Amino acid sequence: MAIEKVDVFVTSPGRNFVVLKITTTDGVTGLGDATLNGRELAAAEYLKTIAPMLIGKNEDNIEDIWQYLYKGAYWKRGPVTMAAISAVDVALWDIKGKKLGVPVYDLLGGASRTGLLTYGHASGVDLPSLFDSIDSYLDKGFKAVRVQSALPGIPSTYGVAGSANAQTGNGEKGMRYDYEPARRTEVPVEEVWDARTYMNTLPGVFEAVRNKYGNGIALLHDCHHRLSPIQAARFGKMIEPYDLFWMEDCTPAEENQEMLRVVREHTTTPIAIGEIINSATDYLTLIKEQLLDYVRSAVTHTGGITHMKKLMDYASFYDIKSGFHGPTDVSPVGMAANLHLGLAIPNFGIQEYMRHSDETLEVFHTSYTFTDGMLHPGNKPGIGVEFDEKLAAKFPYQPAPLPVDRLLDGTVHEW
Ligand code: KDG
Ligand code: MG
């Protein structure tokens, strides 16, 4: 009853992933995801550094191993450290579930609901293409849709399929935005950002969407860290009539959390933040001061199931809910971990879902299901994902850094 082997894989079936496999002396295996988009090799190296420290440890002692890696590193937190700890943690929960013959959500207190409300990514270069995109998600059964729109005069915009430099694919041509694999270069592509154009455009887009679809569907939007606090405050106020489920990352408040106070003072549009926050401790003020409504962390980036469960339990006392990060750079292993935790916690809000490409899903065999706009992690023991190592080896790593944004005058800005 000990950890015998720790393997780290970097594979690129459609996009890059970092996969951890832990094997016990009894031959039980568990999988973890340490994918850090654009910085995958750093996370893989971290895992290789800590691998020898895991050998011989009792795999049952998940909390102790978590503390050992976190406090024992001395250099706490940070995206690379926390992605690596998350991967170990999820792999150990996977092993525990398999040993006991139960799905991980059962170990976390059991199911609190029958399924997880899920949102898909709609976008358009103009209103007709946006409507086509929304229609395609509604046709698939989604009850909640993220709406992103191109901006006049700006060649390429975050989240918009079909705008120059963005790409479509994964079997959903013309409807889908994903940076990989189109952006496989050593050096980041550069894009342009202009907040004035954005603020003049988006409220009209939400109005047109509400006029066409009514109030029955949940609409979400990602500002992707691009507005100043006062711009975000004004933007939130401007879009109040369109009843958004949330505005995400309205201002880069991961660093200066006080920024969200300005936004809160001016608008009741719900705030989602946290996909690049990597520790529960970085949420303490945000939660205590109720500066957010939805926690956007992924289990893979914020210390795994062990740490995220604590975070969400604390958030539950403030009626703050989950909105776990679920783009394609969270691997199917990480996605499954999100789903198990989401099913168990009392304060689940919504789950982001970008279906992985067929290539990805040939390497990762998942057992989670999507029915009628809801995801479910499935009932297989552990997290319910299998990894085809042989096939994965056929897809070597390819550098694919995220883009860099500049303002119209060339100043570097948040992407
Ligand atoms: O790696 C960066 C992406 O995961 C991020 O840009 C996606 O903002 C994102 C989202 O909300 O899914
Ligand atoms: Mg986001």
Side-chain angles (χ1 to χ4, degrees), residues 268-312:
T268 55
T269 296
I271 293 174
I273 195 161
E275 69 183 43
I276 65 171
I277 297 179
N278 48 64
S279 159
T281 47
D282 290 323
Y283 277 98
L284 296 182
T285 306
L286 291 176
I287 292 172
K288 194 160 179 229
E289 296 195 17
Q290 301 180 72
L291 298 177
L292 82 169
D293 301 284
Y294 294 94
V295 169
R296 280 288 286 145
S297 276
V299 165
T300 52
H301 295 136
T302 313
I305 290 170
T306 299
H307 201 52
M308 284 285 283
K309 173 87 166 66
K310 289 176 185 159
L311 167 62
M312 292 315 301

Side-chain angles (χ1 to χ4, degrees), residues 109-150:
S112 289
R113 54 197 54 79
T114 52
L116 304 172
L117 176 68
T118 297
Y119 74 89
H121 284 198
S123 68
V125 289
D126 50 25
L127 286 178
S129 61
L130 175 61
F131 293 161
D132 284 349
S133 177
I134 294 174
D135 287 342
S136 78
Y137 282 98
L138 298 182
D139 290 348
K140 289 187 188 92
F142 282 87
K143 310 276 186 285
V145 183
R146 186 180 94 159
V147 172
Q148 304 292 133
S149 166

Side-chain angles (χ1 to χ4, degrees), residues 221-232:
H221 178 69
D222 192 347
C223 307
H224 222 263
H225 326 268
R226 289 179 190 191
L227 299 175
S228 71
I230 200 67
Q231 284 170 338

Side-chain angles (χ1 to χ4, degrees), residues 109-411:
S112 289
R113 54 197 54 79
T114 52
L116 304 172
L117 176 68
T118 297
Y119 74 89
H121 284 198
S123 68
V125 289
D126 50 25
L127 286 178
S129 61
L130 175 61
F131 293 161
D132 284 349
S133 177
I134 294 174
D135 287 342
S136 78
Y137 282 98
L138 298 182
D139 290 348
K140 289 187 188 92
F142 282 87
K143 310 276 186 285
V145 183
R146 186 180 94 159
V147 172
Q148 304 292 133
S149 166
L151 304 176
I154 307 283
S156 139
T157 309
Y158 166 79
V160 181
S163 64
N165 293 327
Q167 65 112 25
T168 58
N170 290 1
E172 297 173 37
K173 216 166 172 41
M175 293 173 232
R176 176 174 174 107
Y177 166 91
D178 204 351
Y179 263 95
E180 275 246 57
R183 300 297 188 93
R184 288 180 166 173
T185 56
E186 296 266 344
V187 177
V189 174
E190 296 198 4
E191 296 183 338
V192 177
W193 170 250
D194 182 48
R196 176 173 290 276
T197 309
Y198 172 82
M199 291 185 57
N200 285 336
T201 307
L202 264 295
V205 170
F206 296 134
E207 184 181 17
V209 171
R210 275 290 177 227
N211 284 343
K212 182 165 167 66
Y213 295 94
N215 291 325
I217 55 169
L219 300 180
L220 302 88
H221 178 69
D222 192 347
C223 307
H224 222 263
H225 326 268
R226 289 179 190 191
L227 299 175
S228 71
I230 200 67
Q231 284 170 338
R234 183 160 163 262
F235 184 70
K237 208 163 158 179
M238 287 162 86
I239 64 176
E240 272 171 22
Y242 315 117
D243 182 24
L244 263 71
F245 187 96
W246 75 36
M247 64 173 177
E248 177 186 341
D249 290 334
C250 58
T251 193
E254 306 85 16
E255 287 160 309
N256 176 4
Q257 303 190 346
E258 318 249 319
M259 286 178 167
L260 287 180
R261 281 200 200 113
V262 178
V263 183
R264 267 290 199 234
E265 274 164 22
H266 291 94
T267 179
T268 55
T269 296
I271 293 174
I273 195 161
E275 69 183 43
I276 65 171
I277 297 179
N278 48 64
S279 159
T281 47
D282 290 323
Y283 277 98
L284 296 182
T285 306
L286 291 176
I287 292 172
K288 194 160 179 229
E289 296 195 17
Q290 301 180 72
L291 298 177
L292 82 169
D293 301 284
Y294 294 94
V295 169
R296 280 288 286 145
S297 276
V299 165
T300 52
H301 295 136
T302 313
I305 290 170
T306 299
H307 201 52
M308 284 285 283
K309 173 87 166 66
K310 289 176 185 159
L311 167 62
M312 292 315 301
D313 284 345
Y314 178 51
S316 74
F317 296 115
Y318 295 84
D319 206 13
I320 291 166
K321 297 190 165 65
S322 69
F324 299 152
H325 198 208
T328 53
D329 46 286
V330 170
S331 87
V333 172
M335 191 64 190
N338 277 343
L339 300 181
H340 282 277
L341 183 60
L343 197 70
I345 56 174
N347 49 336
F348 169 79
I350 199 165
Q351 177 61 54
E352 179 180 25
Y353 180 41
M354 284 179 86
R355 186 183 175 274
H356 287 99
S357 69
D358 291 341
E359 235 175 358
T360 300
L361 294 172
E362 278 161 26
V363 170
F364 296 89
H365 303 162
T366 58
S367 53
Y368 47 80
T369 54
F370 174 81
T371 324
D372 241 357
M374 313 283 268
L375 280 161
H376 191 286
N379 292 314
K380 286 210 173 137
I383 58 163
V385 180
E386 279 159 38
F387 178 59
D388 185 336
E389 290 170 39
K390 275 203 186 119
L391 189 57
K394 295 193 174 145
F395 299 99
Y397 167 77
Q398 300 194 33
L402 287 165
V404 169
D405 251 355
R406 289 186 188 275
L407 301 181
L408 295 169
D409 69 359
T411 309

